[in-house]
């Protein structure tokens, strides 16, 4: 049963659900306070990312570009990268610069590490400016992979020193599938257990859509450089989504901190497991507030069990979100008709009985007939509308529904909300 | 067929030394935060609204994945143009080449989607690894019955403007003039550079219909491939967005002797003026008279409707930051609502557009030089305008400055063209300027406190 579903093989992608890895890396960078993101590529690479993220988060996206042109394809983009970092530092006064490569620079093999070293030699005044480099070739992976690589790079670049252990402090690595409100929910839950959290990246205070005091062309909100430096002092670490496991493992490897991967935080059992772990670490029982939420969720499941059971649901999402939501749906008796991921998933992570395959929204179109519900990003309206199938927006981009960054999908409350959304969407058509 | 860049005469068209002038051939500086787009985007922006064609991007996911179906160009019929189609190059394709994959993709797309034509766009990566998209298109053409047209404008070629021009060349060399219309309509015209954003075109068509003018083809808003093939038989080209396609109308004039005019359908004045020019160029006395009558009626009707808005908006001051025809036409349109333009800027315009904007603006008005987010914020802080009129890229940054904002570019959902569009525009400006939310955003809380 574990073998992926066989889809019609095509030489093209039709209505892709993939975004570029650099776009994912940009989201991760947006969770770091005072950061200026810089894309090493041609201008369109960064323009497309800014537009895509802006229309999803309804926020300005401070992303800069090294603005490569034809000559760089011949002579290399080294000089542009050096100039780009220096210019960005001079003009925007960021505390950190986060660089990403593109398909263009990876294809001609630009060496970002030595370009950065050369820049630091020439500009000794910028010798100590933290610069994070992430290799995000457009032709490997999708949003989730780019986000993972940038988080890994932030961790490796910015947490070198030994810091004293801080009791009851936990490092958290939320996945690319977490909304700003999910990250906030996670932090609040940790507080209920009396735990302090260091969240990398933390988009809950930077992409949550608040009216800042003074608008600025660098990231405002998010984890600070000082807080990132404290991460090695955490007593435990959690990563969320299977793709983020490597980040937690890296922390364990570098600083000897016990790490646990939480593949999903949506669904009763998934949330139970996590809260039991928090109870263990904190030495405190599960707070009554959370038990109350759990009780409400159970009541909802009883009330609506018949409306959920055996409903056929087709999903196309990046794998972390796909596993979370499909797991929750199967738990309440719904059937997954087809589960399409943007990029391949390691076999070890594929659950039994999940009809999974790598596919685009044209594959969804070919497979969705007879479904009671589609769960996918806004682009899937090209499938849902002609087929007249109710469509719950999830993933990225979602540009035709309000309040997306503020939506919670995790914990007991988020699970309950998700169940309501599934029910309400199914009955809306 | 490769477009010969030297024949696009790019250099001679950027003579302006003026501060803030759009630089067609100037390179953006790395790290300056210019927020411009690339040639690939420029090419696709022009061609993609051809609604019954398939548009295949030959490149890795970044070029198509992040950007398909993200513009507001509307179609009254086929929806094929909205589909994201890409060869989605992977690592192995980059190592071994993607030409064969592209050939197969073209054939599969033709079979699956039955397009009227297939446009194939090169990208930075496919160009860099040396994929010959011309050859791949030729090979695929042997198996495909509709035209397969390569568009060689990889992103690193330059700014969006250059891609716009390349797409004009592609249409000229491979599409226009390849079919003949059934009838010879005396008042057949083409629109060049009207992209039907949010249905702009449909605000203009009622006037054309009322006057008996036939829109033979629209390049490219709500465009149909077969209509564009016949575009050379129109009596007149109406260049709506000169930024993108000036080269196209000039060459159509040389090749087929077609005259052209430049016009705008934003605002009452510009709409009337453009209709008047069309009638005069078509040279029919009765049409000219009909047009004058139509203009008089429509102007009066429109002015009546917008008058209450104008009264309330009089004396408000705006910052305008846009491209193309809107660069100057919006200055007039805002003035028609009694709004003064305090500062104006542009990246994606021709030098002519820029000069027209300057001529229309108050001599005291400022030209925006630093078009990055940082420059924009400084300007807003200094000028404290009552309204910002710009594109989606600026929208959320503008909101952070607590200033009423109107999206004028491709992401908007309302049509602003023609007389009908002017009413929609006036309503939209009024809604945002007088929205009660701005005052709430500016109030300190708790009362008397520092924080807002």
């Amino acid at each position: 049963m574990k073998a992926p579903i066989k889809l019609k093989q095509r030489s093209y992608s039709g209505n892709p659900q993939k975004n570029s890895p650099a776009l994912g890396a940009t989201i991760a960078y947006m969770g770091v306070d005072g950061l200026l993101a810089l894309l090493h590529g041609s201008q369109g690479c960064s323009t497309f990312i800014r537009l895509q993220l802006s229309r999803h988060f309804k926020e300005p996206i401070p992303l800069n570009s090294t603005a490569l042109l034809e000559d760089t394809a011949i002579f290399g983009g080294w000089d542009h990268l050096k100039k780009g970092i220096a210019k960005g530092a001079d003009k925007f006064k960021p505390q950190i610069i986060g660089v990403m490569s593109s398909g263009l620079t990876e294809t001609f093999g630009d060496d970002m590490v030595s370009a950065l070293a050369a820049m630091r030699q020439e500009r000794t005044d910028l010798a100590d400016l933290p610069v994070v480099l992430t290799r995000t070739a457009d032709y490997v992976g999708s949003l989730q992979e780019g986000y993972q690589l940038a988080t890994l790079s932030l961790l490796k670049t910015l947490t070198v020193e030994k810091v004293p252990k801080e009791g009851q402090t936990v490092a958290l690595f939320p996945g690319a599938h977490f909304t700003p409100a999910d990250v906030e929910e996670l932090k609040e839950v940790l507080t209920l257990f009396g735990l302090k959290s260091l969240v990398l990246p933390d988009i809950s205070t930077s992409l949550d859509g608040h009216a800042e005091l003074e608008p600025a062309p660098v990231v405002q909100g998010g984890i600070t450089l000082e807080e990132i430096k404290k991460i090695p002092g955490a007593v435990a670490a959690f990563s969320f989504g299977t793709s983020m496991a490597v980040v937690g493992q890296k922390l364990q490897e570098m600083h000897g901190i016990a790490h646990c991967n939480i593949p999903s935080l949506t669904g009763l059992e998934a949330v139970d497991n996590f809260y039991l772990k928090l109870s263990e670490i904190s030495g405190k029982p599960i707070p009554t507030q959370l038990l109350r939420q759990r009780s409400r969720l159970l009541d909802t499941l009883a009330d609506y069990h018949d409306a959920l059971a055996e409903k056929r649901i087709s999903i196309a999402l990046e794998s972390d979100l796909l596993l979370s939501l499909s797991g929750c749906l199967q738990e309440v008796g719904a059937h997954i008709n087809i589960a399409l991921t943007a990029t391949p998933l390691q076999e070890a992570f594929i659950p039994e009985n999940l009809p999974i395959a790598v596919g685009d929204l044209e594959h969804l179109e070919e497979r969705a007939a007879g479904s009671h519900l589609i769960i996918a990003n806004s682009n899937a309206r090209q499938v849902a509308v002609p087929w007249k199938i109710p469509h719950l927006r999830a993933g990225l981009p979602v540009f035709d529904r309000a309040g997306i960054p503020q939506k919670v999908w995790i914990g007991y409350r988020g699970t309950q909300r998700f169940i309501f959304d599934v029910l309400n969407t199914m009955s809306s058509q | 067929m490769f477009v010969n860049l030297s024949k696009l005469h790019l250099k001679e068209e950027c003579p302006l030394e003026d501060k803030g002038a759009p630089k067609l051939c100037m390179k953006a500086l790395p790290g300056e935060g210019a927020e411009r787009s690339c040639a690939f985007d420029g090419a696709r922006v022009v061609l993609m609204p051809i609604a019954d064609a398939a548009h295949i991007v030959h490149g890795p996911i970044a070029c198509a994945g992040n950007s398909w179906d993200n513009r507001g160009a509307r179609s009254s019929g086929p929806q094929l143009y909205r589909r994201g189609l890409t060869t989605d190059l992977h690592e192995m394709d980059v190592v071994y080449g993607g030409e064969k994959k592209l050939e197969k993709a073209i054939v599969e797309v033709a079979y699956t989607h039955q397009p009227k034509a297939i446009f194939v766009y090169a990208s930075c990566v496919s160009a860099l690894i040396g994929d010959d998209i011309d050859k791949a298109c030729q090979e695929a053409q042997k198996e495909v019955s509709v035209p397969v047209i390569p568009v060689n404008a990889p992103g690193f070629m330059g700014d969006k403007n250059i891609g716009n021009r390349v797409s004009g060349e592609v249409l000229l060399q491979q599409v226009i003039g390849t079919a003949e219309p059934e009838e010879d309509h005396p008042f057949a015209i083409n629109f060049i550079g009207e992209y039907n954003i949010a249905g702009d075109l449909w605000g203009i068509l009622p006037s054309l219909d009322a006057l008996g003018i036939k829109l033979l083809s629209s390049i490219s808003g709500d465009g149909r491939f077969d209509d564009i093939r016949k575009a050379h038989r129109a009596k007149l080209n109406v260049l709506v967005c000169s930024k993108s396609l000036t080269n196209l109308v000039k060459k159509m004039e040389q090749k087929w002797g077609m005259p052209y005019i430049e016009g705008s359908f934003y605002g009452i004045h510009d709409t009337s003026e453009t209709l008047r020019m069309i009638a005069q160029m078509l040279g029919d006395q009765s049409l000219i008279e009909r047009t004058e009558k139509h203009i008089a009626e429509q102007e009066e009707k429109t002015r009546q409707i917008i008058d209450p808005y104008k009264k309330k908006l009089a004396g408000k001051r705006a910052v305008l930051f846009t491209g193309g025809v809107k660069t100057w036409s919006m200055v007039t349109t805002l003035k028609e609502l009694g709004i003064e333009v305090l500062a104006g800027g542009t990246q994606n315009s021709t030098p002519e557009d820029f000069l027209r904007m300057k001529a229309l603006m108050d001599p005291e008005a400022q030209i925006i030089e630093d078009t990055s987010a940082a420059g924009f914020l400084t300007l807003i802080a200094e000028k404290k305008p009552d309204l910002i009129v710009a594109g989606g890229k600026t929208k959320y940054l503008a909101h952070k400055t607590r200033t009423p904002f109107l999206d004028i570019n491709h992401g908007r959902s309302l049509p602003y063209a023609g007389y009908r569009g002017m009413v929609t525009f006036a309503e939209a400006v009024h809604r945002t300027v007088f929205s009660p939310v701005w005052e709430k955003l500016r109030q300190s809380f708790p009362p008397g406190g520092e924080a807002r």
Side-chain angles (χ1 to χ4, degrees), chain A residues 315 321-331 334 336 339 351 354 375 418:
Chain A
I315 312 185
L321 188 54
L322 182 133
L323 292 182
S324 294
L325 302 187
S326 59
C328 172
L329 290 167
Q330 285 179 322
E331 189 184 53
I336 304 300
L354 186 66
I375 304 181
F418 172 60

mmCIF file with all atom_site columns, all heavy atoms in Angstrom, chain A residues 315 321-331 334 336 339 351 354 375 418:
data_model
loop_
_atom_site.group_PDB
_atom_site.id
_atom_site.type_symbol
_atom_site.label_atom_id
_atom_site.label_alt_id
_atom_site.label_comp_id
_atom_site.label_asym_id
_atom_site.label_entity_id
_atom_site.label_seq_id
_atom_site.pdbx_PDB_ins_code
_atom_site.Cartn_x
_atom_site.Cartn_y
_atom_site.Cartn_z
_atom_site.occupancy
_atom_site.B_iso_or_equiv
_atom_site.pdbx_formal_charge
_atom_site.auth_seq_id
_atom_site.auth_comp_id
_atom_site.auth_asym_id
_atom_site.auth_atom_id
_atom_site.pdbx_PDB_model_num
ATOM 1   N N   . ILE A 1 315 ? -6.702  16.417 -2.049 1.00 0.00 ? 315 ILE A N   1
ATOM 2   C CA  . ILE A 1 315 ? -5.798  17.430 -1.490 1.00 0.00 ? 315 ILE A CA  1
ATOM 3   C C   . ILE A 1 315 ? -4.575  17.596 -2.369 1.00 0.00 ? 315 ILE A C   1
ATOM 4   O O   . ILE A 1 315 ? -3.991  16.614 -2.835 1.00 0.00 ? 315 ILE A O   1
ATOM 5   C CB  . ILE A 1 315 ? -5.306  17.039 -0.073 1.00 0.00 ? 315 ILE A CB  1
ATOM 6   C CG1 . ILE A 1 315 ? -6.483  16.612 0.810  1.00 0.00 ? 315 ILE A CG1 1
ATOM 7   C CG2 . ILE A 1 315 ? -4.575  18.184 0.577  1.00 0.00 ? 315 ILE A CG2 1
ATOM 8   C CD1 . ILE A 1 315 ? -6.088  16.336 2.244  1.00 0.00 ? 315 ILE A CD1 1
ATOM 9   N N   . LEU A 1 321 ? 2.159   20.183 5.160  1.00 0.00 ? 321 LEU A N   1
ATOM 10  C CA  . LEU A 1 321 ? 0.767   20.564 5.403  1.00 0.00 ? 321 LEU A CA  1
ATOM 11  C C   . LEU A 1 321 ? -0.166  19.435 4.971  1.00 0.00 ? 321 LEU A C   1
ATOM 12  O O   . LEU A 1 321 ? -1.166  19.141 5.618  1.00 0.00 ? 321 LEU A O   1
ATOM 13  C CB  . LEU A 1 321 ? 0.444   21.866 4.659  1.00 0.00 ? 321 LEU A CB  1
ATOM 14  C CG  . LEU A 1 321 ? -0.912  22.508 4.958  1.00 0.00 ? 321 LEU A CG  1
ATOM 15  C CD1 . LEU A 1 321 ? -1.115  22.729 6.444  1.00 0.00 ? 321 LEU A CD1 1
ATOM 16  C CD2 . LEU A 1 321 ? -1.057  23.845 4.219  1.00 0.00 ? 321 LEU A CD2 1
ATOM 17  N N   . LEU A 1 322 ? 0.197   18.790 3.876  1.00 0.00 ? 322 LEU A N   1
ATOM 18  C CA  . LEU A 1 322 ? -0.627  17.696 3.363  1.00 0.00 ? 322 LEU A CA  1
ATOM 19  C C   . LEU A 1 322 ? -0.727  16.563 4.389  1.00 0.00 ? 322 LEU A C   1
ATOM 20  O O   . LEU A 1 322 ? -1.810  16.048 4.666  1.00 0.00 ? 322 LEU A O   1
ATOM 21  C CB  . LEU A 1 322 ? -0.038  17.181 2.046  1.00 0.00 ? 322 LEU A CB  1
ATOM 22  C CG  . LEU A 1 322 ? -0.851  16.060 1.393  1.00 0.00 ? 322 LEU A CG  1
ATOM 23  C CD1 . LEU A 1 322 ? -1.059  16.344 -0.085 1.00 0.00 ? 322 LEU A CD1 1
ATOM 24  C CD2 . LEU A 1 322 ? -0.192  14.720 1.576  1.00 0.00 ? 322 LEU A CD2 1
ATOM 25  N N   . LEU A 1 323 ? 0.400   16.192 4.989  1.00 0.00 ? 323 LEU A N   1
ATOM 26  C CA  . LEU A 1 323 ? 0.372   15.113 5.980  1.00 0.00 ? 323 LEU A CA  1
ATOM 27  C C   . LEU A 1 323 ? -0.432  15.517 7.211  1.00 0.00 ? 323 LEU A C   1
ATOM 28  O O   . LEU A 1 323 ? -1.192  14.711 7.759  1.00 0.00 ? 323 LEU A O   1
ATOM 29  C CB  . LEU A 1 323 ? 1.798   14.720 6.384  1.00 0.00 ? 323 LEU A CB  1
ATOM 30  C CG  . LEU A 1 323 ? 2.660   14.042 5.304  1.00 0.00 ? 323 LEU A CG  1
ATOM 31  C CD1 . LEU A 1 323 ? 4.014   13.663 5.877  1.00 0.00 ? 323 LEU A CD1 1
ATOM 32  C CD2 . LEU A 1 323 ? 1.976   12.813 4.712  1.00 0.00 ? 323 LEU A CD2 1
ATOM 33  N N   . SER A 1 324 ? -0.288  16.777 7.636  1.00 0.00 ? 324 SER A N   1
ATOM 34  C CA  . SER A 1 324 ? -1.026  17.249 8.809  1.00 0.00 ? 324 SER A CA  1
ATOM 35  C C   . SER A 1 324 ? -2.532  17.164 8.581  1.00 0.00 ? 324 SER A C   1
ATOM 36  O O   . SER A 1 324 ? -3.262  16.590 9.386  1.00 0.00 ? 324 SER A O   1
ATOM 37  C CB  . SER A 1 324 ? -0.692  18.715 9.109  1.00 0.00 ? 324 SER A CB  1
ATOM 38  O OG  . SER A 1 324 ? 0.637   18.843 9.485  1.00 0.00 ? 324 SER A OG  1
ATOM 39  N N   . LEU A 1 325 ? -2.971  17.747 7.472  1.00 0.00 ? 325 LEU A N   1
ATOM 40  C CA  . LEU A 1 325 ? -4.415  17.848 7.247  1.00 0.00 ? 325 LEU A CA  1
ATOM 41  C C   . LEU A 1 325 ? -5.025  16.505 6.871  1.00 0.00 ? 325 LEU A C   1
ATOM 42  O O   . LEU A 1 325 ? -6.112  16.151 7.345  1.00 0.00 ? 325 LEU A O   1
ATOM 43  C CB  . LEU A 1 325 ? -4.721  18.902 6.181  1.00 0.00 ? 325 LEU A CB  1
ATOM 44  C CG  . LEU A 1 325 ? -4.217  20.324 6.481  1.00 0.00 ? 325 LEU A CG  1
ATOM 45  C CD1 . LEU A 1 325 ? -4.728  21.307 5.435  1.00 0.00 ? 325 LEU A CD1 1
ATOM 46  C CD2 . LEU A 1 325 ? -4.603  20.797 7.876  1.00 0.00 ? 325 LEU A CD2 1
ATOM 47  N N   . SER A 1 326 ? -4.336  15.724 6.045  1.00 0.00 ? 326 SER A N   1
ATOM 48  C CA  . SER A 1 326 ? -4.914  14.448 5.637  1.00 0.00 ? 326 SER A CA  1
ATOM 49  C C   . SER A 1 326 ? -4.951  13.498 6.837  1.00 0.00 ? 326 SER A C   1
ATOM 50  O O   . SER A 1 326 ? -5.905  12.728 6.997  1.00 0.00 ? 326 SER A O   1
ATOM 51  C CB  . SER A 1 326 ? -4.153  13.842 4.460  1.00 0.00 ? 326 SER A CB  1
ATOM 52  O OG  . SER A 1 326 ? -2.812  13.629 4.791  1.00 0.00 ? 326 SER A OG  1
ATOM 53  N N   . GLY A 1 327 ? -3.943  13.566 7.695  1.00 0.00 ? 327 GLY A N   1
ATOM 54  C CA  . GLY A 1 327 ? -3.934  12.731 8.896  1.00 0.00 ? 327 GLY A CA  1
ATOM 55  C C   . GLY A 1 327 ? -5.136  13.031 9.783  1.00 0.00 ? 327 GLY A C   1
ATOM 56  O O   . GLY A 1 327 ? -5.827  12.119 10.261 1.00 0.00 ? 327 GLY A O   1
ATOM 57  N N   . CYS A 1 328 ? -5.400  14.315 9.956  1.00 0.00 ? 328 CYS A N   1
ATOM 58  C CA  . CYS A 1 328 ? -6.538  14.730 10.776 1.00 0.00 ? 328 CYS A CA  1
ATOM 59  C C   . CYS A 1 328 ? -7.856  14.261 10.157 1.00 0.00 ? 328 CYS A C   1
ATOM 60  O O   . CYS A 1 328 ? -8.751  13.776 10.853 1.00 0.00 ? 328 CYS A O   1
ATOM 61  C CB  . CYS A 1 328 ? -6.525  16.254 10.913 1.00 0.00 ? 328 CYS A CB  1
ATOM 62  S SG  . CYS A 1 328 ? -7.979  16.927 11.708 1.00 0.00 ? 328 CYS A SG  1
ATOM 63  N N   . LEU A 1 329 ? -7.963  14.389 8.834  1.00 0.00 ? 329 LEU A N   1
ATOM 64  C CA  . LEU A 1 329 ? -9.209  13.998 8.158  1.00 0.00 ? 329 LEU A CA  1
ATOM 65  C C   . LEU A 1 329 ? -9.441  12.494 8.245  1.00 0.00 ? 329 LEU A C   1
ATOM 66  O O   . LEU A 1 329 ? -10.567 12.040 8.470  1.00 0.00 ? 329 LEU A O   1
ATOM 67  C CB  . LEU A 1 329 ? -9.172  14.445 6.688  1.00 0.00 ? 329 LEU A CB  1
ATOM 68  C CG  . LEU A 1 329 ? -9.264  15.951 6.478  1.00 0.00 ? 329 LEU A CG  1
ATOM 69  C CD1 . LEU A 1 329 ? -8.892  16.328 5.040  1.00 0.00 ? 329 LEU A CD1 1
ATOM 70  C CD2 . LEU A 1 329 ? -10.664 16.458 6.813  1.00 0.00 ? 329 LEU A CD2 1
ATOM 71  N N   . GLN A 1 330 ? -8.370  11.733 8.082  1.00 0.00 ? 330 GLN A N   1
ATOM 72  C CA  . GLN A 1 330 ? -8.515  10.274 8.174  1.00 0.00 ? 330 GLN A CA  1
ATOM 73  C C   . GLN A 1 330 ? -8.903  9.861  9.599  1.00 0.00 ? 330 GLN A C   1
ATOM 74  O O   . GLN A 1 330 ? -9.685  8.934  9.794  1.00 0.00 ? 330 GLN A O   1
ATOM 75  C CB  . GLN A 1 330 ? -7.210  9.593  7.739  1.00 0.00 ? 330 GLN A CB  1
ATOM 76  C CG  . GLN A 1 330 ? -7.027  9.641  6.230  1.00 0.00 ? 330 GLN A CG  1
ATOM 77  C CD  . GLN A 1 330 ? -5.733  8.998  5.763  1.00 0.00 ? 330 GLN A CD  1
ATOM 78  O OE1 . GLN A 1 330 ? -4.698  9.121  6.422  1.00 0.00 ? 330 GLN A OE1 1
ATOM 79  N NE2 . GLN A 1 330 ? -5.778  8.316  4.630  1.00 0.00 ? 330 GLN A NE2 1
ATOM 80  N N   . GLU A 1 331 ? -8.367  10.605 10.544 1.00 0.00 ? 331 GLU A N   1
ATOM 81  C CA  . GLU A 1 331 ? -8.666  10.322 11.950 1.00 0.00 ? 331 GLU A CA  1
ATOM 82  C C   . GLU A 1 331 ? -10.166 10.455 12.251 1.00 0.00 ? 331 GLU A C   1
ATOM 83  O O   . GLU A 1 331 ? -10.701 9.782  13.126 1.00 0.00 ? 331 GLU A O   1
ATOM 84  C CB  . GLU A 1 331 ? -7.872  11.300 12.820 1.00 0.00 ? 331 GLU A CB  1
ATOM 85  C CG  . GLU A 1 331 ? -7.891  11.024 14.301 1.00 0.00 ? 331 GLU A CG  1
ATOM 86  C CD  . GLU A 1 331 ? -7.141  12.108 15.093 1.00 0.00 ? 331 GLU A CD  1
ATOM 87  O OE1 . GLU A 1 331 ? -7.467  13.296 14.909 1.00 0.00 ? 331 GLU A OE1 1
ATOM 88  O OE2 . GLU A 1 331 ? -6.240  11.763 15.854 1.00 0.00 ? 331 GLU A OE2 1
ATOM 89  N N   . ALA A 1 334 ? -12.921 10.555 7.341  1.00 0.00 ? 334 ALA A N   1
ATOM 90  C CA  . ALA A 1 334 ? -13.033 10.966 5.934  1.00 0.00 ? 334 ALA A CA  1
ATOM 91  C C   . ALA A 1 334 ? -12.087 10.126 5.070  1.00 0.00 ? 334 ALA A C   1
ATOM 92  O O   . ALA A 1 334 ? -11.122 9.560  5.580  1.00 0.00 ? 334 ALA A O   1
ATOM 93  C CB  . ALA A 1 334 ? -12.705 12.442 5.797  1.00 0.00 ? 334 ALA A CB  1
ATOM 94  N N   . ILE A 1 336 ? -9.431  10.035 1.911  1.00 0.00 ? 336 ILE A N   1
ATOM 95  C CA  . ILE A 1 336 ? -8.621  10.873 1.018  1.00 0.00 ? 336 ILE A CA  1
ATOM 96  C C   . ILE A 1 336 ? -8.683  10.239 -0.365 1.00 0.00 ? 336 ILE A C   1
ATOM 97  O O   . ILE A 1 336 ? -8.254  9.109  -0.582 1.00 0.00 ? 336 ILE A O   1
ATOM 98  C CB  . ILE A 1 336 ? -7.163  10.983 1.517  1.00 0.00 ? 336 ILE A CB  1
ATOM 99  C CG1 . ILE A 1 336 ? -7.118  11.506 2.959  1.00 0.00 ? 336 ILE A CG1 1
ATOM 100 C CG2 . ILE A 1 336 ? -6.368  11.886 0.580  1.00 0.00 ? 336 ILE A CG2 1
ATOM 101 C CD1 . ILE A 1 336 ? -7.731  12.873 3.177  1.00 0.00 ? 336 ILE A CD1 1
ATOM 102 N N   . ALA A 1 339 ? -3.947  12.507 -2.756 1.00 0.00 ? 339 ALA A N   1
ATOM 103 C CA  . ALA A 1 339 ? -3.106  13.437 -1.997 1.00 0.00 ? 339 ALA A CA  1
ATOM 104 C C   . ALA A 1 339 ? -1.884  13.767 -2.840 1.00 0.00 ? 339 ALA A C   1
ATOM 105 O O   . ALA A 1 339 ? -1.019  12.914 -3.040 1.00 0.00 ? 339 ALA A O   1
ATOM 106 C CB  . ALA A 1 339 ? -2.694  12.815 -0.665 1.00 0.00 ? 339 ALA A CB  1
ATOM 107 N N   . PRO A 1 351 ? 2.418   7.718  5.240  1.00 0.00 ? 351 PRO A N   1
ATOM 108 C CA  . PRO A 1 351 ? 1.571   6.866  6.069  1.00 0.00 ? 351 PRO A CA  1
ATOM 109 C C   . PRO A 1 351 ? 0.897   5.770  5.237  1.00 0.00 ? 351 PRO A C   1
ATOM 110 O O   . PRO A 1 351 ? 0.729   5.931  4.026  1.00 0.00 ? 351 PRO A O   1
ATOM 111 C CB  . PRO A 1 351 ? 0.507   7.833  6.610  1.00 0.00 ? 351 PRO A CB  1
ATOM 112 C CG  . PRO A 1 351 ? 0.908   9.191  6.175  1.00 0.00 ? 351 PRO A CG  1
ATOM 113 C CD  . PRO A 1 351 ? 1.855   9.055  5.040  1.00 0.00 ? 351 PRO A CD  1
ATOM 114 N N   . LEU A 1 354 ? -2.532  6.156  2.551  1.00 0.00 ? 354 LEU A N   1
ATOM 115 C CA  . LEU A 1 354 ? -2.674  7.498  1.976  1.00 0.00 ? 354 LEU A CA  1
ATOM 116 C C   . LEU A 1 354 ? -2.322  7.430  0.488  1.00 0.00 ? 354 LEU A C   1
ATOM 117 O O   . LEU A 1 354 ? -1.198  7.132  0.125  1.00 0.00 ? 354 LEU A O   1
ATOM 118 C CB  . LEU A 1 354 ? -1.765  8.505  2.701  1.00 0.00 ? 354 LEU A CB  1
ATOM 119 C CG  . LEU A 1 354 ? -1.949  9.956  2.276  1.00 0.00 ? 354 LEU A CG  1
ATOM 120 C CD1 . LEU A 1 354 ? -3.320  10.477 2.670  1.00 0.00 ? 354 LEU A CD1 1
ATOM 121 C CD2 . LEU A 1 354 ? -0.870  10.853 2.876  1.00 0.00 ? 354 LEU A CD2 1
ATOM 122 N N   . ILE A 1 375 ? -8.946  20.500 -1.085 1.00 0.00 ? 375 ILE A N   1
ATOM 123 C CA  . ILE A 1 375 ? -8.142  21.361 -0.212 1.00 0.00 ? 375 ILE A CA  1
ATOM 124 C C   . ILE A 1 375 ? -6.858  21.676 -0.966 1.00 0.00 ? 375 ILE A C   1
ATOM 125 O O   . ILE A 1 375 ? -6.059  20.771 -1.257 1.00 0.00 ? 375 ILE A O   1
ATOM 126 C CB  . ILE A 1 375 ? -7.829  20.699 1.147  1.00 0.00 ? 375 ILE A CB  1
ATOM 127 C CG1 . ILE A 1 375 ? -9.134  20.278 1.847  1.00 0.00 ? 375 ILE A CG1 1
ATOM 128 C CG2 . ILE A 1 375 ? -7.037  21.656 2.033  1.00 0.00 ? 375 ILE A CG2 1
ATOM 129 C CD1 . ILE A 1 375 ? -8.924  19.628 3.207  1.00 0.00 ? 375 ILE A CD1 1
ATOM 130 N N   . PHE A 1 418 ? -10.376 23.859 11.896 1.00 0.00 ? 418 PHE A N   1
ATOM 131 C CA  . PHE A 1 418 ? -10.207 23.176 10.610 1.00 0.00 ? 418 PHE A CA  1
ATOM 132 C C   . PHE A 1 418 ? -11.420 22.299 10.289 1.00 0.00 ? 418 PHE A C   1
ATOM 133 O O   . PHE A 1 418 ? -11.937 22.311 9.174  1.00 0.00 ? 418 PHE A O   1
ATOM 134 C CB  . PHE A 1 418 ? -8.902  22.357 10.633 1.00 0.00 ? 418 PHE A CB  1
ATOM 135 C CG  . PHE A 1 418 ? -8.710  21.456 9.447  1.00 0.00 ? 418 PHE A CG  1
ATOM 136 C CD1 . PHE A 1 418 ? -8.659  21.980 8.143  1.00 0.00 ? 418 PHE A CD1 1
ATOM 137 C CD2 . PHE A 1 418 ? -8.563  20.079 9.608  1.00 0.00 ? 418 PHE A CD2 1
ATOM 138 C CE1 . PHE A 1 418 ? -8.484  21.146 7.053  1.00 0.00 ? 418 PHE A CE1 1
ATOM 139 C CE2 . PHE A 1 418 ? -8.384  19.244 8.512  1.00 0.00 ? 418 PHE A CE2 1
ATOM 140 C CZ  . PHE A 1 418 ? -8.354  19.774 7.236  1.00 0.00 ? 418 PHE A CZ  1
#
